[in-house]
Amino acid sequence: MELGKFLRNLFSFQEERERIGLALGGGGARGLAHLGVLQALEERSFSLDQIVGTSMGAIVGGAYAQGAKVEELIARFADYQRLYGDQQKEIERSLGVSPRNRFDRWTTSLSNYYFMLRGSNGNSLLDGDMLVEMTDFLLSETEIGDTQIPFAAVAVDIISGEELLLTEGPIREAVRASASMPGIFPPVEWEGRFLLDGGVTNLVPVDDVFALGADRVIAVDVGKEVDFNSLPNKGLDLLFRVSAIARHQLKLRHMEKADVIIRPEVEDFSWYDFSDYEEIIDRGRTATERAIADNEWLREEKVRSPR
């Protein structure tokens, strides 16, 4: 090919390529499926121009945006699990449940009551040390603005109720704020505000990715769906159901503008059980490969990185 024609094709490709953003949702341990999603996209040299994450999506998205390859992040998490895996037992004790019984409806109901009882005596069941250790282990100590891929984390001001899109400041602190689950971890102080998990208002932040300049958005939903086939028969269970329905409806509204929605099949994993991380990651990869096969836009060459 003549040099002139090659350069014209290259510049034409760069002009035509749309800015592609990734919205990574919250879901605790289920959010490790995001690593499988990124793995499938990375293997196909998929170009990402923006990443916005909520909760676990912020942890994974922030670490990837800093420039680490997926295989490096998976190895890093495996090391974390090996060193700090016993902390999961602390969460189980705090919730009053056993992972072997996590699918049992009676146990779930009992843990909800236990959660309410414990939470009424303080602002969180756990201190923030566990979250600090995870974010320090998985992310480098840099500013958000220094990431290789533009990144932002979603959090909520627990006093004003305002949703915040954190686009500057220390990335570890921003991610911790986004991942501080209400009642589980204490609020994170950020510039005079007290912030909690962005999933309170925006579980899959599609609109935020568009707001930061993306032309197309891929949304990854790893949240647990509401069981609409059962009728709660106790008052407290009804309260939990109402809250779950509200979050579900809010999530659907946020995701309706996404160009592609990837839903890894991870509902059978508990949010606090990281022990099956390899299977969770694999399901994220499988769901993404399926989405690529089913979506013509994802198969187009212009979504590939020109590098």
Side-chain angles (χ1 to χ4, degrees):
M1 180 184 295
E2 296 179 357
L3 178 60
K5 185 176 181 181
F6 171 81
L7 292 175
R8 285 195 300 273
N9 289 342
L10 176 61
F11 290 132
S12 175
F13 171 84
Q14 291 176 332
E15 290 173 0
E16 291 179 2
R17 194 179 72 78
E18 299 168 304
R19 290 181 56 81
I20 300 166
L22 190 62
L24 300 180
R30 294 188 293 270
L32 293 176
H34 296 316
L35 289 169
V37 172
L38 290 166
Q39 188 177 52
L41 295 177
E42 187 179 277
E43 288 177 353
R44 289 159 179 78
S45 299
F46 206 97
S47 180
L48 292 173
D49 301 287
Q50 187 75 51
I51 299 176
V52 180
T54 291
S55 200
M56 196 65 188
I59 294 177
V60 174
Y64 188 74
Q66 287 184 321
K69 295 294 185 181
V70 175
E71 292 303 322
E72 178 186 342
L73 291 180
I74 293 175
R76 202 180 298 174
F77 184 81
D79 289 340
Y80 171 82
Q81 182 68 8
R82 177 175 54 82
L83 293 172
Y84 297 103
D86 288 344
Q87 290 185 341
Q88 179 185 318
K89 297 177 182 179
E90 181 182 348
I91 298 178
E92 293 166 9
R93 286 193 298 269
S94 297
L95 294 176
V97 297
S98 165
R100 284 175 291 188
N101 296 323
R102 64 175 177 258
F103 309 122
D104 185 271
R105 187 174 300 167
W106 179 85
T107 303
T108 301
S109 179
L110 180 62
S111 68
N112 287 341
Y113 284 103
Y114 189 79
F115 175 86
M116 292 287 287
L117 180 62
R118 286 286 304 273
S120 64
N121 295 319
N123 68 356
S124 64
L125 292 177
L126 305 172
D127 60 35
D129 291 347
M130 186 181 303
L131 199 53
V132 169
E133 288 168 351
M134 176 179 283
T135 53
D136 286 358
F137 202 91
L138 299 179
L139 290 100
S140 302
E141 188 176 4
T142 63
E143 297 290 304
I144 296 177
D146 294 332
T147 56
Q148 291 189 18
I149 301 174
F151 169 76
V154 182
V156 173
D157 185 321
I158 195 59
I159 297 177
S160 69
E162 180 184 0
E163 179 182 314
L164 301 178
L165 188 59
L166 306 179
T167 58
E168 57 184 24
I171 192 169
R172 286 175 172 174
E173 291 184 24
V175 165
R176 280 197 288 271
S178 180
S180 291
M181 298 175 64
I184 305 298
F185 298 112
V188 172
E189 187 172 358
W190 176 278
E191 298 180 354
R193 295 173 179 258
F194 292 91
L195 307 186
L196 282 175
D197 196 319
V200 171
T201 58
N202 201 343
L203 194 60
V204 186
V206 171
D207 49 344
D208 289 320
V209 187
F210 278 121
L212 292 178
D215 299 305
R216 298 259 196 166
V217 174
I218 302 169
V220 186
D221 178 17
V222 294
K224 192 173 182 64
E225 296 301 311
V226 181
D227 179 10
F228 290 110
N229 297 313
S230 64
L231 176 66
N233 56 12
K234 291 183 174 61
L236 188 57
D237 292 333
L238 282 169
L239 287 175
F240 278 103
R241 170 63 67 85
V242 168
S243 176
I245 291 173
R247 290 196 305 271
H248 175 75
Q249 293 296 333
L250 191 59
K251 179 181 71 173
L252 292 180
R253 292 184 183 182
H254 280 296
M255 291 197 304
E256 63 185 4
K257 293 182 180 180
D259 294 276
V260 177
I261 299 175
I262 300 174
R263 287 191 173 95
E265 297 178 0
V266 291
E267 284 200 15
D268 51 336
F269 297 98
S270 171
W271 66 264
Y272 58 84
D273 187 358
F274 290 87
S275 60
D276 294 321
Y277 69 92
E278 292 176 311
E279 177 64 22
I280 296 173
I281 293 171
D282 186 64
R283 293 194 188 188
R285 177 184 178 131
T286 299
T288 307
E289 291 172 343
R290 187 184 306 119
I292 293 172
D294 293 343
N295 192 287
E296 182 177 355
W297 170 69
L298 288 177
R299 298 195 302 272
E300 293 178 357
E301 285 300 317
K302 66 181 180 180
V303 304
R304 305 293 183 256
S305 172
R307 292 187 295 274

